[in-house]
Amino acid sequence: MEGSWRDVLAVLVILAQLTASGSSYQIIEGPQNVTVLKGSDARFNCTVTHGWKLIMWTLNDMVVLSLTSQGPIITNNRFTYASYNSTDSFISEMIIHDVQPSDSGLVQCSLQNSHVFGSAFLSVQVMGTLNIPTDNLIVTEGEPCNVTCYALGWDPLPDISWELEVPVSHSSYSSFLEPGNSMRVLSVLDLTPLGNGTLTCVAELKDLQASKSLTVNLTVVPPPPDSVGEEGPVLPTWAIILLAVAFSLLLILIIALIIIFCCCCVSRKEKEESTYQNEIRKSANVRTNKTDPETSFKSGKENYGYSSDEARAAQIASIPPKSGKVSLPEQRNSSLPHQELNKHRPSPATHPRVSFDIASPQKVRNVTIV
């Protein structure tokens, strides 16, 4: 315990002596900005003139390393030093091991009893993890599919790209932040594979040219037999439009032909009905005009001077009885021979018949046969 206190007192005495010494020394070149990955080493150089007595290094305003002409004063094993001499200057190098994001900040080197500082900035970037849900992908040949790659815990957010070692007919990808999680980046790869191969998701930190990748296997299987050729080749847009127009015109033509056919059928039916009616009329006229010879012979022509026997009988019954004499009109040429009578008798073609009713001499019926 007493030894530790003695060491601390010795350091304080040395610093006091160095501070009391001259302050004409200066910094020629201060440290430069450094960007490193988490867990790596960060190095800073400070160039000063010869004759210096004390060089101090601070990180975020905390002294982490001191260097005297007798040797370094190390308070944390993560901070070490290296030195290089030249003819006109001295170079002091501070090395920060296993850098963490909390180390990010202002780094300064300074000389004893001087208000001049050499300053730089330390930036620590974090390389997170990559994840693809499935290590082995099995897809159908010629069918579109997608693969998602997740980048988590990166600072700053990485740029994600894809490397394809597989034949494809189409591929594209897009990256975006996961909704509700600003520290998680998603990249979705869309592709139409034609064969087996590998897919590699690559996340890169541009400032450091540092990247991390993850590879998955892609296995392509042929489509099921029942679906082969089911859809057939895809027609171009102009061919689809042409087919649509052709089908429309064909449909219009079919409708027009149906209408014309219906009109022709109706017209033909009306014509057939008209012809049928005309035939019926003609047949009726022919039947009317045709008469049976026997019926014509019996009926003859109508005698408008004939009155029926019943009417005659009724009329005679109403007349008072007369003398029973029968008077006949005077016959001229009664002495003509019988042959003369026969000569004037009508021809057989006309067959005139005259009948006399003795009981009722007034009743005379004449019939003419044509």
Side-chain angles (χ1 to χ4, degrees):
M1 186 71 179
E2 292 180 357
S4 299
W5 281 108
R6 289 176 183 175
D7 292 339
V8 173
L9 290 174
V11 170
L12 293 175
V13 171
I14 294 172
L15 291 176
Q17 292 175 353
L18 293 174
T19 303
S21 61
S23 60
S24 60
Y25 310 110
Q26 61 182 357
I27 297 175
I28 299 174
E29 183 180 4
Q32 303 296 317
N33 294 336
V34 174
T35 300
V36 295
L37 284 175
K38 174 186 175 181
S40 61
D41 293 343
R43 296 174 179 269
F44 296 92
N45 293 331
C46 185
T47 304
V48 299
T49 58
H50 287 291
W52 60 274
K53 300 299 181 181
L54 177 65
I55 300 176
M56 292 183 296
W57 289 92
T58 63
L59 175 62
N60 293 327
D61 298 327
M62 293 181 62
V63 177
V64 292
L65 179 64
S66 298
L67 186 63
T68 66
S69 56
Q70 285 80 20
I73 302 175
I74 299 175
T75 59
N76 190 328
N77 293 330
R78 290 181 57 234
F79 300 91
T80 60
Y81 83 101
S83 59
Y84 312 95
N85 275 310
S86 64
T87 56
D88 56 353
S89 63
F90 175 82
I91 300 174
S92 173
E93 181 180 40
M94 180 181 66
I95 305 169
I96 305 175
H97 301 279
D98 190 22
V99 176
Q100 299 298 313
S102 59
D103 295 331
S104 298
L106 184 63
V107 176
Q108 290 180 325
C109 73
S110 61
L111 295 176
Q112 72 281 6
N113 204 21
S114 173
H115 298 288
V116 178
F117 299 93
S119 302
F121 193 83
L122 172 62
S123 176
V124 180
Q125 296 187 357
V126 179
M127 183 178 291
T129 60
L130 288 178
N131 180 39
I132 297 177
T134 305
D135 294 336
N136 294 294
L137 302 174
I138 300 177
V139 297
T140 303
E141 180 181 359
E143 291 188 3
C145 64
N146 60 74
V147 184
T148 303
C149 180
Y150 301 90
L152 180 63
W154 293 69
D155 184 23
L157 297 178
D159 294 332
I160 300 180
S161 60
W162 290 85
E163 295 178 358
L164 279 63
E165 297 294 335
V166 59
V168 297
S169 61
H170 165 77
S171 66
S172 63
Y173 67 89
S174 59
S175 301
F176 50 90
L177 287 175
E178 182 181 16
N181 189 349
S182 60
M183 295 299 295
R184 188 174 185 178
V185 181
L186 279 68
S187 181
V188 179
L189 171 65
D190 297 314
L191 72 159
T192 304
L194 301 177
N196 300 332
T198 59
L199 303 174
T200 303
C201 175
V202 180
E204 182 179 11
L205 296 173
K206 292 293 185 180
D207 293 339
L208 297 176
Q209 298 296 313
S211 62
K212 180 179 285 189
S213 63
L214 180 62
T215 301
V216 295
N217 295 320
L218 180 69
T219 303
V220 175
V221 297
D226 55 349
S227 64
V228 174
E230 184 174 323
E231 296 183 357
V234 178
L235 294 176
T237 304
W238 64 266
I240 296 175
I241 296 175
L242 184 61
L243 287 176
V245 173
F247 280 126
S248 300
L249 294 176
L250 181 61
L251 181 61
I252 294 173
L253 179 61
I254 291 174
I255 294 174
L257 291 175
I258 291 174
I259 293 174
I260 294 173
F261 179 75
C262 292
C263 292
C264 291
C265 290
V266 172
S267 176
R268 182 177 178 183
K269 185 176 181 181
E270 290 178 352
K271 185 176 180 181
E272 289 178 354
E273 289 179 355
S274 177
T275 304
Y276 178 70
Q277 292 175 357
N278 291 335
E279 291 294 332
I280 291 176
R281 292 193 189 96
K282 288 181 181 180
S283 299
N285 292 334
V286 170
R287 290 195 192 96
T288 305
N289 293 332
K290 285 184 179 181
T291 57
D292 190 1
E294 183 178 356
T295 305
S296 300
F297 178 78
K298 289 182 177 179
S299 62
K301 287 186 179 180
E302 184 179 359
N303 187 355
Y304 293 98
Y306 167 75
S307 62
S308 64
D309 294 341
E310 291 79 3
R312 287 278 188 182
Q315 184 177 5
I316 292 172
S318 62
I319 298 175
K322 292 183 179 180
S323 167
K325 273 186 183 179
V326 177
S327 61
L328 295 173
E330 186 178 354
Q331 296 181 355
R332 290 181 302 176
N333 300 325
S334 58
S335 61
L336 289 176
H338 182 72
Q339 291 80 8
E340 189 74 15
L341 278 171
N342 293 335
K343 186 185 295 186
H344 291 285
R345 195 174 291 176
S347 64
T350 57
H351 298 284
R353 293 181 183 178
V354 179
S355 62
F356 298 94
D357 189 355
I358 303 299
S360 57
Q362 306 243 339
K363 181 176 181 181
V364 179
R365 182 174 184 181
N366 296 324
V367 178
T368 304
I369 304 301
V370 180

